[in-house]
Amino acid sequence: MHYNSFFEAQLQQLRDNGNYRVFADLERHKGAFPYATNRNGTDAREVTIWCSNDYLGMGQHPAVLNAMHKALDISGAGAGGTRNISGTTHNHVLLERELADLHDKEDALLFTSGYVSNWAALSTLASRMPDCLILSDALNHASMIEGIRHSRAQCQVWRHNDIAHLEELLAAQPLDRPKLIAFESVYSMDGDIAPIADICDLAERYNAMTYLDEVHAVGLYGPRGGGIAEREGLMDRITVIEGTLGKAFGVVGGYITSTAAICDFIRSFASGFIFTTALPPAVAAGAAASIQHLKASNAERELQRARVAEVRRKLSKAGIPHVENPSHIIPVMVGDPVKCKFISDTLMDEFGIYIQPINYPTVPKGTERLRITPSPVHSPEDVERLVAALGVLWTRCQLSRVSMAAE
Ligand SMILES: *Cc1c(COP(=O)(O)O)cnc(C)c1O
């Protein structure tokens, strides 16, 4: 086998199918989010980012940056080891306390990312409970799917947010068989929200554990930013709540919160927790400051909600089709992979607007879209420019307009 030509041919196939990923080279400007410099070869231009998961702009918040600077000056760059071997700094201890308090749980456990937290926690729980059955929502994130697969436990997939289907699967099992229902609160591509209370009812009736990924909700929903389960008063009914420090909290890292026994169990058995260097103390300090700030402040959440409503209203007025959903995510539907990529490229080249196109396999074919995430750092003028640019490109691509009810 000629190794390199094998890899090149595989990449060419990706290109031919329109699935080859191109990353935008961005330099974000602290104090001026959502603006950034985009470089392409020797070209550099100023762009407005409209697809960031730093949903509230906390990545530039003075409280976060001050905490990070301070920890950097006190403790230096890296943690110096795995959590077990000299890597548990005081900042990690404080952050885990902050997280347990956020979700009103006995304990919390930090990981290097949300992906790792899902992968490690689900694979450890499901592989170590004898004869465990996992019931997984059909639209669960890749990190959950990989964790479940790695556990080698039996897995049944229930139709997305379909409570009747979940109940059918649960009812077919012996009551005393260990079962784990894995799902998300806000699903990030459609922006829809799971019926968490109904799922908790079923879990209680059929003696199942619940594992909830609140990655796209922490910091954003609930009076203290504890997520959808906090908003709906359901945190105490969920066995494990998982989240990220990399999206609304604006830093990086992942975590689970649960009972002391479950956190201790995963701490003691999860390879993905044990055998990797701990997050830098400055990262832990920044994340803790971000959580603390958002526990006490609603200003960012309120401004974000207002901005989301404004973008929706203006898109509807311009007849640009977007999915109505109860979250902060606005999927603008293009429904064609070539046009979707063309609109994204042209927004960048002609209008200085950056929105990554979302094509298959991330979403089903025929539902190609631009996923817009308005934030408190977008101004009303940014919104005007966005909708005007989309209007021009909608006409140029001969895409149909829709009449949508004004909100
Ligand atoms: C982004 C994401 C993750 C992974 O979190 P990271 O901190 O980015 O690794 C997990 N679950 C869902 C649903 C996500 O969208």
Side-chain angles (χ1 to χ4, degrees):
M1 185 179 195
H2 191 289
Y3 295 112
N4 222 43
S5 40
F6 168 80
F7 299 126
E8 277 165 3
Q10 294 280 305
L11 288 168
Q12 193 51 47
Q13 210 172 331
L14 270 187
R15 283 196 191 87
D16 294 345
N17 297 338
N19 292 333
Y20 185 73
R21 294 169 196 262
V22 181
F23 298 162
D25 171 341
L26 298 165
E27 182 174 70
R28 295 205 289 170
H29 302 314
K30 179 191 67 130
F33 285 11
Y35 307 127
T37 301
N38 169 228
R39 289 193 181 77
N40 194 350
T42 53
D43 276 6
R45 66 189 148 203
E46 298 309 298
V47 299
T48 308
I49 301 177
W50 273 103
C51 57
S52 174
N53 283 338
D54 185 353
Y55 292 126
L56 299 176
M58 292 305 286
Q60 67 174 1
H61 197 285
V64 175
L65 302 187
N66 288 340
M68 293 186 78
H69 282 299
K70 204 169 130 200
L72 193 59
D73 289 339
I74 292 172
S75 296
T82 63
R83 289 292 298 274
N84 188 39
I85 305 179
S86 93
T88 297
T89 72
H90 191 50
N91 294 112
H92 293 90
V93 175
L94 294 178
L95 175 55
E96 284 177 339
R97 266 186 222 154
E98 200 65 64
L99 289 164
D101 173 76
L102 176 66
H103 296 288
D104 203 15
K105 294 285 186 194
E106 288 172 7
D107 214 343
L109 197 62
L110 259 178
F111 295 82
T112 46
S113 74
Y115 186 102
V116 172
S117 67
N118 274 334
W119 183 84
L122 283 169
S123 64
T124 303
L125 288 171
S127 65
R128 289 190 175 260
M129 280 190 285
D131 195 33
C132 179
L133 172 68
I134 299 205
L135 296 127
S136 176
D137 184 283
L139 291 192
N140 275 343
H141 188 256
S143 55
M144 299 171 93
I145 295 169
E146 291 297 334
I148 292 166
R149 185 177 296 159
H150 186 72
S151 78
R152 299 193 185 174
Q154 189 190 353
C155 176
Q156 294 181 340
V157 175
W158 44 294
R159 286 190 296 274
H160 177 55
N161 281 348
D162 184 338
I163 289 300
H165 189 211
L166 176 60
E167 175 153 29
E168 194 182 298
L169 297 174
L170 283 165
Q173 295 297 324
L175 203 59
D176 61 358
R177 180 175 185 189
K179 298 176 239 17
L180 200 163
I181 304 172
F183 63 112
E184 301 179 20
S185 57
V186 176
Y187 286 85
S188 74
M189 289 303 147
D190 290 324
D192 55 337
I193 295 178
I196 303 178
D198 296 341
I199 294 169
C200 291
D201 289 346
L202 289 180
E204 284 155 21
R205 190 170 320 141
Y206 294 98
N207 193 25
M209 288 172 65
T210 45
Y211 184 103
L212 175 60
D213 175 321
E214 287 253 41
V215 160
H216 291 280
V218 289
L220 300 173
Y221 298 89
R224 297 200 310 158
I228 301 290
E230 187 201 16
R231 185 184 75 182
E232 298 181 1
L234 297 168
M235 293 197 295
D236 63 327
R237 296 178 69 195
I238 308 284
T239 320
V240 178
I241 296 177
E242 182 270 347
T244 184
L245 304 169
K247 290 173 183 168
F249 292 127
V251 191
V252 72
Y255 66 90
I256 58 155
T257 62
S258 188
T259 63
I262 288 177
C263 290
D264 203 17
F265 183 85
I266 292 168
R267 185 185 73 90
S268 304
F269 290 109
S271 166
F273 173 82
I274 298 170
F275 296 106
T276 188
T277 300
L279 288 172
V283 165
S290 184
I291 296 164
Q292 269 166 11
H293 179 84
L294 290 174
K295 275 180 183 170
S297 168
N298 265 317
E300 293 80 8
R301 286 187 278 274
E302 279 165 12
L303 196 51
Q304 184 209 28
R305 238 152 261 166
R307 211 55 93 215
V308 169
E310 189 181 340
V311 173
R312 285 212 168 102
R313 201 163 48 238
K314 294 220 158 85
L315 286 172
S316 294
K317 212 169 145 215
I320 293 169
H322 57 102
V323 178
E324 293 293 345
N325 63 44
S327 78
H328 59 284
I329 292 162
I330 307 180
V332 165
M333 305 309 280
V334 181
D336 178 302
V338 177
K339 287 180 181 176
C340 196
K341 172 99 173 44
F342 172 81
I343 292 176
S344 169
D345 289 345
T346 314
L347 280 173
M348 190 80 124
D349 294 343
E350 279 182 34
F351 298 91
I353 289 171
Y354 171 50
I355 309 176
Q356 187 68 18
I358 313 268
N359 282 353
Y360 178 84
T362 307
V363 294
K365 284 181 181 157
T367 72
E368 292 80 8
R369 66 195 68 182
L370 302 167
R371 176 182 175 275
I372 300 177
T373 53
S375 79
V377 296
H378 292 99
S379 68
E381 294 72 37
D382 293 329
V383 178
E384 286 290 347
R385 283 194 292 123
L386 169 70
V387 177
L390 283 171
V392 169
L393 293 177
W394 229 250
T395 303
R396 199 181 297 171
C397 289
Q398 300 182 310
L399 286 162
S400 51
R401 297 190 189 240
V402 290
S403 86
M404 297 189 74
E407 278 170 65

